[in-house]
Amino acid sequence: MNTFNRSINAQTDPLNEKARQSADAIERLSGVPRHDVAVILGSGWVPAADLIGTTVSEFSVTDIPHFSAPSVDGHAGVIRSVDADGIKVLVFLGRTHFYEGKGVDAVTHAVRTAAAAGCHSIVLTNGCGGLNPEWTPGTPVLIKDHINFTGHSPLHGAHFVDLTDLYSSRLRKLCHEVEPNLAEGVYVQFPGPMYETPAEITMVRNMGGTLVGMSTTLEAIVARSLGMEILGLSLVTNAAAGMTGHPLNHEEVLQAGRDAATKMGALLNHVIRKFK
Ligand code: 8IG
């Protein structure tokens, strides 16, 4: 149990109180009093889950209070407690997306829960479109920064949070020790669920984005607000709209994930063990 986080959360607001209740349920169901690192697995990443470490226990998000069941193919709605050489990893197989219309608090509840469960670090993963033509489907890319293009904030009240080095340069360096050639990108979150138009991709390019997706930035902001160190990992599953002349489809996304699962799992496995 993370007394520090829990006492802060209980004072801060009802959201963090709900997260504390979710974390209590996770502690009860897993028998693990405190987790160290959280991992949220997005589109294409779920098949990599088995490679992170030894599964201690697994439960459905529907067994935990305040979680909503996911509604998208390829998002399993499962929480696992995993042991990676003594590092207690809380793995969320799937997430709630902003486009589900449940609001920013539903989107960030897993992050608040991870903090309440004691996690000092979080790995946010996603499947996304890539603007760099060298990033063929199945290419992992480190997120070095983001643009929150949802038009929404996940924070409440006059809560001024610094977002410089949001995606920890220390953790990115650890990734480069494992995979020296890992590319870095700027992730732009759109509200979704539609993919972009080619004109929107031109806009993204002009504003400095190199990855486009529908998750991660709202979660990263909340994770930072709760003092967590953040690693962001994208799996490019498709070229961004208008780049290939072919339309985008969700099955292609899932297949790229299955094809890249072994590589992604090995990366997570190696990197998490270095987190300390
Ligand atoms: I996977 O091309 C995946 N998710 N916005 N654009 C957006 N989200 C995505 C994309 C994409 N591919």
Side-chain angles (χ1 to χ4, degrees):
M1 150 137 41
N2 184 341
T3 323
F4 173 74
N5 275 333
R6 290 193 181 189
S7 62
I8 295 255
N9 290 348
Q11 290 161 14
T12 313
D13 57 37
L15 293 179
N16 293 337
E17 175 57 23
K18 283 184 179 173
R20 197 192 54 72
Q21 290 167 4
S22 294
D24 283 345
I26 288 169
E27 177 179 338
R28 210 164 43 242
L29 287 171
S30 68
V32 176
R34 186 199 156 92
H35 286 83
D36 305 306
V37 176
V39 179
I40 298 185
L41 296 174
S43 305
W45 286 82
V46 169
D50 297 336
L51 302 171
I52 294 172
T54 308
T55 299
V56 175
S57 58
E58 179 177 288
F59 24 87
S60 164
V61 292
T62 54
D63 296 334
I64 312 288
H66 311 303
F67 272 87
S68 61
S71 44
V72 188
D73 239 17
H75 291 91
V78 164
I79 300 176
R80 262 189 207 172
S81 179
V82 171
D83 190 299
D85 288 345
I87 297 175
K88 307 296 183 200
V89 187
L90 189 59
V91 183
F92 296 87
L93 292 84
R95 56 159 51 91
T96 298
H97 283 88
F98 183 71
Y99 56 69
E100 293 175 61
K102 296 167 182 166
V104 290
D105 298 339
V107 169
T108 58
H109 180 67
V111 174
R112 295 183 193 278
T113 296
C119 298
H120 55 72
S121 309
I122 188 163
V123 183
L124 299 173
T125 72
N126 60 60
C128 70
L131 277 78
N132 182 335
E134 287 173 15
W135 299 341
T136 52
T139 303
V141 177
L142 270 175
I143 301 176
K144 72 170 174 213
D145 204 347
H146 84 212
I147 295 172
N148 171 10
F149 207 64
T150 64
H152 289 259
S153 164
L155 304 179
H156 301 281
H159 187 167
F160 304 107
V161 176
D162 172 62
L163 299 183
T164 53
D165 202 37
L166 180 60
Y167 298 90
S168 162
S169 44
R170 187 186 80 89
L171 296 182
R172 281 186 278 138
K173 208 165 140 215
L174 289 182
C175 288
H176 281 135
E177 286 171 16
V178 177
E179 284 258 3
N181 297 324
L182 203 53
E184 296 198 343
V186 174
Y187 182 92
V188 182
Q189 180 177 355
F190 276 79
M194 59 287 183
Y195 296 114
E196 294 68 37
T197 63
E200 285 164 345
I201 293 304
T202 301
M203 171 190 70
V204 168
R205 184 177 293 112
N206 287 334
M207 66 188 189
T210 52
L211 303 163
V212 281
M214 305 177 193
S215 68
T216 305
T217 76
L218 301 173
E219 296 158 29
I221 292 163
V222 166
R224 163 54 61 88
S225 79
L226 296 171
M228 300 169 101
E229 194 172 15
I230 301 155
L231 176 66
L233 277 169
S234 285
L235 176 66
V236 174
T237 58
N238 57 274
M243 294 181 57
T244 62
H246 305 294
L248 310 181
N249 80 75
H250 191 62
E251 183 46 40
E252 196 173 67
V253 166
L254 298 182
Q255 191 55 46
R258 286 190 283 268
D259 295 346
T262 313
K263 192 165 52 173
M264 301 299 87
L267 177 62
L268 287 176
N269 179 300
H270 279 93
V271 156
I272 284 167
R273 282 165 168 74
K274 291 173 176 246
F275 270 30
K276 108 194 156 276

